[in-house]
Amino acid sequence: MRRPHIRTVAVAVAVTTAATGLAGTAFAGPSTKVERPAASAAPNATAVVEAARTAAFAHASATGVSKGDALHAQDVMIDPEGARHVRFVRTHNDLPVLGGDLIVHLDRGLAYTGVTRAAGHAVKPAAAEARLTPAQAAARAAQAAKGAASGARLVVDARGGAATLAYQVTVTHKDSPRTVVVDAVTGEVRSSTPDRDEFLSPKLLDTLRERGETLDPETGVGSDASGSAVSGLAGSGLSGVTRYPTSARGTGKSLFVGNVALTTTATSRGHYQLKDPSRYGTETRDAKGSDTEKFSAGSKFTSTTNVWGNGRTTSRVSAAADAQYGVTKTLDFYKNTLKRKGIAGNSTAARAMVHWGQKVANAFWDPTCNCMLYGDGDGVSAKKPFVMLDVTGHELTHGVVEATANLQPTFVDSEYNQYGEPGSLNESLADIFGSNVEFYAKNAKDPADYLIGENLGLSQKFLRRLDHPSLDKIEGTVDYWSPRVYSTEVHAGSGVSSHAYYLLAEGSGKKKIGSVTYNSPTYHNIAVKGIGRTKATAIYYRALTRYMVSTTDFHQARLATLKAAKDLYGANSTEYKTVDRSWAAVNVTAANTPRAH
């Protein structure tokens, strides 16, 4: 999934002003009336950051900030109704704090209104001095992760209910790099987490092998994508005197979504590169079987016809057409639907490499590369590249989550399967927004639905589904919350919040949407009438960016979505009440909130 890393601690200057933006978890603070007037000109981001930092120390009993702590702004969000939110990562005595993130909430006048915090305790470690040397910690990490350690740095690990002085070590591994955290006093390995967000978990791949099931999806599904003005003409879109490089209109002949229009770069007359200057320079490259995590090491895709691929795997470029199409559609969804400019929200390129590694039956968001990496399959369990549209939307959403709440698994087993509700929520959000990318794209060759991985070629016809998660018998996805979800693999546990989202959007019971028939059950047969996908998506996105942090679990996600619904529609609105009812319908209520909260 993802590494428990500390991001850059420079003050964020980009200001999010979209009404549907997100961030935060359990909300603590005074109850405030929702402000409805539209915000005037956005205030100076530095002033907002300083006000939030000052408020955090002034309200230390609520925020948990104490002597030795320093707060470093990661994001500043300005809501049209007047609220301001600053997401901070934390250091303690200059050491990065794992699980020390928090969001300080302010009103229009920059007065403190509350906090969302990951750690419910002080982050000062009991021991001030390390007993292990960096070399000893690196050796412990290398042994645990069965790889080569590349250095160790001191951190404070505030996860798990107490703060401990620890070393954070990156370990290279043949399958995936790991981030290993070693107790600096006892030498205990506190966590060992894969750095990459892999679409298929190790547990799922093992299950497929045990069942003798092969993923061999159909390719070359058709010629034209609905709604696309496909030109495919060399030099299309260029006329008169042209200065290079410039935009051009090309055609992608993809594996899974037919012929699609792609915006490319004309580098000179009759020469093109698979790079989109209209979307921050978003580009797809060819890894050529290497396992490089440097995008610059990938080979550029170029053409003299501005036609990319042939719809079959006989052309290496076909997979690139799918990838470039999927990445740009995901960017367009986030920008045009949720006003988010780029995966990190900073108007920078999204990048992808296809044909990555040797016999890789997976695709994933890679935080080291800061890009999408697509394998071609292993030839046994999976025989085609993992460049399907919803796979791309799912994996790029992991990048969005990493840039916002950075939801982390609670623990990882020896086979690197991940567990815990924050990790399950991360997978769920990736499924939720990944399915939204399909609805946004409106591609007739890949009709939109609430199914994930429906093009993988599985015998059950999908990998996961949002309306009735337990119909997934391969991963054993669950419909409802119970305390057992804590120890459920994250893809299986994702069903709780995915189901709640579906019920919020579409409601319970039987219905047909597009070509798919759904029949969503509920806990104790609670009837839910949906509010529509547009409103449900706005609520979940706002909850992610403004009220979720790295440790947010399902009960805290309920509070986050309620707060988001209150912000957008009011506490007495149908939308707010339906959010509450949708969580009750998956057995997440105030009454059964675990006592630790």
Side-chain angles (χ1 to χ4, degrees):
M1 189 177 294
R2 77 256 343 124
R3 72 180 70 195
H5 67 292
I6 295 293
R7 294 187 207 70
T8 303
V9 294
V11 173
V13 295
V15 179
T16 300
T17 57
T20 54
L22 317 171
T25 296
F27 183 78
S31 176
T32 57
K33 184 178 180 181
V34 177
E35 297 184 67
R36 291 297 170 192
S40 57
N44 181 276
T46 301
V48 177
V49 169
E50 288 307 313
R53 184 180 287 113
T54 299
F57 283 93
H59 297 269
S61 61
T63 63
V65 176
S66 61
K67 184 178 180 180
D69 289 355
L71 301 180
H72 308 276
Q74 178 190 335
D75 202 1
V76 181
M77 294 154 283
I78 309 296
D79 295 340
E81 67 272 15
R84 288 85 170 93
H85 315 265
V86 182
R87 184 183 293 275
F88 291 107
V89 292
R90 184 174 359 187
T91 57
H92 181 77
N93 291 337
D94 297 325
L95 298 179
V97 179
L98 307 181
D101 50 306
L102 68 157
I103 306 162
V104 176
H105 309 287
L106 308 172
D107 65 13
R108 185 188 300 274
L110 303 186
Y112 173 82
T113 59
V115 65
T116 301
R117 52 190 281 200
H121 53 83
V123 301
K124 181 180 179 180
E129 298 290 336
R131 292 183 182 174
L132 269 68
T133 66
Q136 289 172 327
R140 294 282 178 93
Q143 181 182 28
K146 298 179 176 62
S150 58
R153 66 166 180 170
L154 272 177
V155 298
V156 175
D157 188 357
R159 303 167 301 170
T164 302
L165 193 64
Y167 285 101
Q168 187 181 56
V169 186
T170 298
V171 178
T172 57
H173 188 276
K174 64 181 179 66
D175 294 325
S176 171
R178 319 287 186 193
T179 295
V180 181
V181 178
V182 178
D183 192 304
V185 177
T186 67
E188 174 192 3
V189 175
R190 295 176 59 83
S191 64
S192 179
T193 309
D195 289 350
R196 298 171 185 155
D197 288 294
E198 296 185 341
F199 187 70
L200 302 183
S201 69
K203 186 176 182 179
L204 172 63
L205 290 170
D206 286 344
T207 300
L208 292 176
R209 294 185 189 104
E210 290 169 3
R211 294 163 62 113
E213 186 160 355
T214 300
L215 305 182
D216 192 13
E218 179 186 1
T219 58
V221 295
S223 56
D224 294 327
S226 177
S228 296
V230 180
S231 64
L233 301 177
S236 177
L238 306 180
S239 61
V241 178
T242 301
R243 292 184 177 181
Y244 298 99
T246 189
S247 295
R249 294 193 301 271
T251 297
K253 294 192 172 185
S254 73
L255 296 175
F256 299 110
V257 288
N259 286 6
V260 293
L262 297 174
T263 301
T264 62
T265 298
T267 55
S268 62
R269 185 173 182 81
H271 294 86
Y272 306 92
Q273 184 179 343
L274 194 55
K275 182 176 183 179
D276 189 338
S278 68
R279 295 175 176 86
Y280 324 117
T282 288
E283 181 181 1
T284 298
R285 292 190 177 185
D286 189 347
K288 293 190 173 180
S290 77
D291 57 2
T292 181
E293 291 184 275
K294 293 182 179 180
F295 184 74
S296 60
S299 298
K300 298 176 183 179
F301 282 104
T302 59
S303 170
T304 57
T305 64
N306 214 4
V307 176
W308 307 88
N310 62 5
R312 299 181 297 277
T313 56
T314 52
S315 169
R316 296 183 67 80
V317 191
S318 299
D322 282 273
Q324 184 77 357
Y325 174 80
V327 171
T328 55
K329 284 300 179 184
T330 302
L331 289 175
D332 288 353
F333 159 72
Y334 275 106
K335 181 179 180 180
N336 297 330
T337 304
L338 300 169
K339 310 305 179 188
R340 184 177 188 84
K341 297 180 179 179
I343 299 306
N346 57 0
S347 300
T348 57
R351 303 177 301 185
M353 283 196 286
V354 294
H355 309 303
W356 189 87
Q358 296 291 327
K359 298 186 182 300
V360 175
N362 233 318
F364 44 87
W365 168 257
D366 188 300
T368 300
C369 175
N370 199 32
C371 62
M372 277 295 304
L373 301 177
Y374 299 91
D376 285 334
D378 60 7
V380 180
S381 297
K383 295 188 176 181
K384 299 287 170 60
F386 280 73
V387 289
M388 301 79 174
L389 180 59
D390 61 355
V391 172
T392 296
H394 173 105
E395 291 301 324
L396 285 177
T397 296
H398 280 313
V400 173
V401 173
E402 182 193 30
T404 54
N406 195 27
L407 292 156
Q408 294 290 327
T410 307
F411 63 98
V412 181
D413 68 16
S414 60
E415 300 299 320
Y416 298 106
N417 294 294
Q418 301 173 51
Y419 299 84
E421 292 186 23
S424 293
L425 182 59
N426 192 334
E427 291 300 330
S428 170
L429 291 167
D431 282 353
I432 288 167
F433 293 114
S435 66
N436 267 273
V437 170
E438 281 191 349
F439 280 103
Y440 176 84
K442 298 179 181 178
N443 187 299
K445 304 303 179 184
D446 187 3
D449 50 46
Y450 290 103
L451 311 178
I452 302 298
E454 70 275 15
N455 295 323
L456 288 173
L458 288 164
S459 59
Q460 68 180 21
K461 308 301 182 185
F462 56 86
L463 179 57
R464 291 182 296 277
R465 59 187 299 156
L466 279 63
D467 67 313
H468 194 166
S470 65
L471 292 180
D472 164 27
K473 305 302 182 184
I474 298 176
E475 291 182 300
T477 308
V478 300
D479 290 328
Y480 311 120
W481 180 83
S482 75
R484 293 190 299 275
V485 171
Y486 175 84
S487 56
T488 299
E489 192 274 331
V490 293
H491 295 84
S494 70
V496 175
S497 46
S498 293
H499 193 189
Y501 168 84
Y502 175 87
L503 291 167
L504 178 63
E506 303 292 351
S508 56
K510 189 174 182 178
K511 61 192 63 184
K512 188 172 184 179
I513 304 170
S515 61
V516 180
T517 298
Y518 304 92
N519 192 0
S520 190
T522 61
Y523 193 75
H524 286 171
N525 296 316
I526 297 173
V528 181
K529 183 178 181 180
I531 62 172
R533 189 180 64 258
T534 298
K535 289 182 177 180
T537 302
I539 289 169
Y540 270 66
Y541 179 76
R542 189 183 185 95
L544 167 64
T545 56
R546 282 159 174 76
Y547 303 111
M548 292 184 188
V549 287
S550 59
T551 58
T552 298
D553 61 21
F554 289 130
H555 285 81
Q556 293 166 336
R558 169 183 171 271
L559 296 178
T561 51
L562 284 169
K563 185 66 174 68
K566 179 182 176 182
D567 289 349
L568 293 172
Y569 306 108
N572 295 317
S573 65
T574 297
E575 292 83 357
Y576 181 95
K577 295 173 183 176
T578 307
V579 168
D580 195 34
R581 194 169 183 84
S582 68
W583 282 107
V586 297
N587 196 34
V588 177
T589 66
N592 66 14
T593 302
R595 188 169 298 177
H597 298 161

